[in-house]
Amino acid sequence: MTKIKLCGLTRPVDIQAANDLRPDYVGFVFFSRSRRRLSPKQAASLKELLSPEIRAVGVFVDEAPEKIALLLEEGVIDVAQLHGREDMTYFRRLRELTDKPVIKAFRIEKEQDCLQAENDPSDFVLLDSGMGSGVAFDWSAVAGVRRPYFLAGGLHAGNVRAAIQALHPYGVDVSSGIETDSVKDQFKMAAFVAAVREEDAL
């Protein structure tokens, strides 16, 4: 079954919709320049409302590993997703602080990007067209990636089934594709989840 991640949730009503839909993951964004940014206190409040069956992923860009580890160990998030220039030294430091799962995001522009993703030591990788761009990339570029990965970038209810048919990713990640006027739309959230599950049921 394709894992589902609904990213960029910011309001209690978003969490309620997620609890009803039961995705595998939801995402809380901690990047300071994102319009979806949450403070640790806001994220903790939302996590308290989240069904324990759903894992909360914290999205970071070049954040201090100590801050990420604290959020993981305190249970504000269950998984860290890294979107910056985090290198092996950074990764080793984070691993010293916590053994919780890590997803490393890669912007796919050329074949070399896929090779880096293939060899990355993180628990999972996420293949995207750019952080929060909402634009799909050429899916054929990742057809040769053998390790499990999350597919992101420009997904929505209208194209996610085609993406799953073409690539069979471990998981699909959506944010802007479930929004209306930059706000999470519960109907689009439901349509996205239904599309994934309908494709998996075939």
Side-chain angles (χ1 to χ4, degrees):
M1 300 293 285
T2 308
K3 303 298 183 183
I4 301 171
K5 178 168 171 278
L6 306 179
C7 199
L9 276 57
T10 61
R11 306 171 300 164
V13 68
D14 301 338
I15 299 298
Q16 184 56 59
N19 287 342
D20 292 341
L21 295 169
R22 290 290 193 270
D24 302 279
Y25 303 87
V26 299
F28 297 151
V29 178
F30 293 91
F31 180 41
S32 61
R33 299 205 308 250
S34 172
R35 61 180 171 80
R36 306 180 183 101
R37 177 183 182 271
L38 296 176
S39 68
K41 184 176 180 180
Q42 290 171 319
S45 295
L46 293 179
K47 181 61 156 54
E48 289 180 358
L49 302 175
L50 185 67
S51 168
E53 301 171 13
I54 303 170
R55 305 181 84 184
V57 179
V59 179
F60 304 92
V61 180
D62 298 322
E63 182 59 85
E66 291 78 11
K67 291 183 179 181
I68 297 175
L70 183 62
L71 291 170
L72 286 164
E73 293 305 310
E74 289 183 342
V76 175
I77 56 173
D78 305 301
V79 183
Q81 182 173 311
L82 309 178
H83 272 264
R85 295 167 293 181
E86 301 90 357
D87 58 14
M88 281 301 300
T89 300
Y90 181 102
F91 183 80
R92 283 194 291 268
R93 174 58 179 157
L94 185 58
R95 275 287 186 250
E96 289 173 358
L97 298 167
T98 179
D99 61 356
K100 298 296 175 64
V102 176
I103 301 169
K104 175 61 178 169
F106 288 86
R107 183 173 183 173
I108 303 302
E109 296 179 322
K110 53 187 181 300
E111 184 178 352
Q112 182 64 28
D113 299 325
C114 291
L115 292 175
Q116 291 179 358
E118 193 83 74
N119 297 314
D120 188 81
S122 300
D123 299 281
F124 296 100
V125 293
L126 181 145
L127 309 181
D128 197 355
S129 56
M131 183 176 162
S133 69
V135 177
F137 58 91
D138 180 2
W139 292 335
S140 66
V142 302
V145 176
R146 297 175 183 172
R147 70 179 294 179
Y149 63 87
F150 288 87
L151 180 69
L155 295 178
H156 51 74
N159 67 3
V160 69
R161 293 185 68 169
I164 294 170
Q165 291 170 10
L167 299 174
H168 306 289
Y170 170 81
V172 288
D173 183 306
V174 64
S175 187
S176 59
I178 50 172
E179 292 180 347
T180 298
D181 297 328
S182 300
V183 176
K184 289 294 181 286
D185 183 321
Q186 62 179 332
F187 298 105
K188 289 184 178 180
M189 293 168 71
F192 184 88
V193 171
V196 175
R197 291 183 175 152
E198 286 168 7
E199 182 59 33
D200 282 346
L202 294 179

